[in-house]
């Protein structure tokens, strides 16, 4: 039975994988793999799960992990750029790292830094590390972020990618109950076409989408 894709919004998804916890669909149009709403946690359950994480601003391992997102951004950004750390969590270390690089960064997180005023501003860059796999409405959220980028701006996304159905079945990433959307290179190519964006796979799980400059 086909299902409604939360990214391209087509009724084009077919069963992809089932295990003892959840069933997954894959969209034939944009290749997103996702779980249907009956498998989503409610907000209180989701927040409780995130509260178990032990990331901190002083964690060198966490810094090393985020550096794979920070370095490609730092290499591309003009001096004193302004950006948004979307989904920063309780320890906005990426924002701190980018500030150390000379940039202005606003943190946002629906649970830990819920400031709606960040969506009134425009940015030279937006970073979302380990965020898109949690989104109930990935189309709406990504369009909102894209609308906040200035021409030439960068959207940096960090998420582990679907490789194959065989690997998916034994993938640790799907064991997290807050992970409900799973992207692949094909999905990001579809998204780049939707946004008419430049696309770069900067690392195995770091994706850069660049907003084109306005003609003239």
């Amino acid at each position: 039975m086909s299902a409604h894709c939360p990214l391209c919004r087509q009724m084009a998804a077919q069963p992809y994988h089932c295990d003892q916890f959840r069933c997954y669909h894959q969209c034939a149009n944009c290749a997103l793999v996702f779980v249907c709403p009956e498998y989503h946690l409610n907000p209180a359950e989701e927040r409780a799960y995130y509260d178990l994480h032990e990331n901190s601003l002083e964690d060198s391992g966490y810094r090393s992990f985020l550096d794979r997102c920070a370095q490609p951004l730092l290499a591309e950004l003009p001096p004193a750029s302004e950006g948004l750390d979307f989904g920063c969590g309780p320890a906005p270390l990426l924002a701190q790292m980018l500030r150390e690089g000379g940039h202005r960064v606003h943190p946002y997180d629906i649970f830990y830094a819920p400031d709606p005023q960040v969506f009134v501003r425009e940015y030279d860059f937006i970073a979302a590390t380990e965020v898109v796999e949690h989104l109930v409405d990935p189309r709406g959220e990504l369009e909102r972020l894209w609308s906040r980028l200035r021409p030439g701006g960068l959207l940096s996304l960090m998420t582990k990618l679907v490789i194959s159905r065989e690997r998916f079945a034994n993938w640790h990433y799907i064991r997290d109950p807050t992970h409900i959307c799973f992207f692949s290179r094909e999905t990001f190519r579809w998204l780049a076409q939707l946004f008419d964006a430049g696309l770069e796979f900067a690392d195995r799980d770091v994706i850069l989408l660049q907003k084109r400059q306005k003609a003239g």
Side-chain angles (χ1 to χ4, degrees), residues 85-96:
D85 181 4
F86 178 78
C88 63
L93 178 56
L94 180 64
Q96 177 175 300

Side-chain angles (χ1 to χ4, degrees), residues 99-153:
R99 289 185 189 119
E100 291 166 1
H103 305 290
R104 291 170 291 157
V105 189
H106 304 267
Y108 176 82
D109 191 282
I110 192 172
F111 293 115
Y112 301 105
D115 178 9
Q117 291 303 307
V118 300
F119 300 110
V120 176
R121 312 174 72 96
E122 289 189 332
Y123 302 98
D124 301 304
F125 67 92
I126 297 173
T129 57
E130 294 290 312
V131 172
V132 294
E133 65 274 10
H134 301 275
L135 297 178
V136 172
D137 178 18
R139 175 67 169 268
E141 289 291 359
L142 289 169
E143 286 183 336
R144 176 166 68 160
L145 296 180
W146 194 250
S147 74
R148 297 295 87 207
L149 277 178
R150 299 180 179 119

Side-chain angles (χ1 to χ4, degrees), residues 18 27 29 37-38 69 77 79 96-97 107 110 119 128 139 185 197:
C18 271
C27 181
N29 185 44
E38 60 263 33
C69 177
L77 292 175
Q96 177 175 300
M97 293 165 67
I110 192 172
F119 300 110
R139 175 67 169 268
R185 287 192 170 217

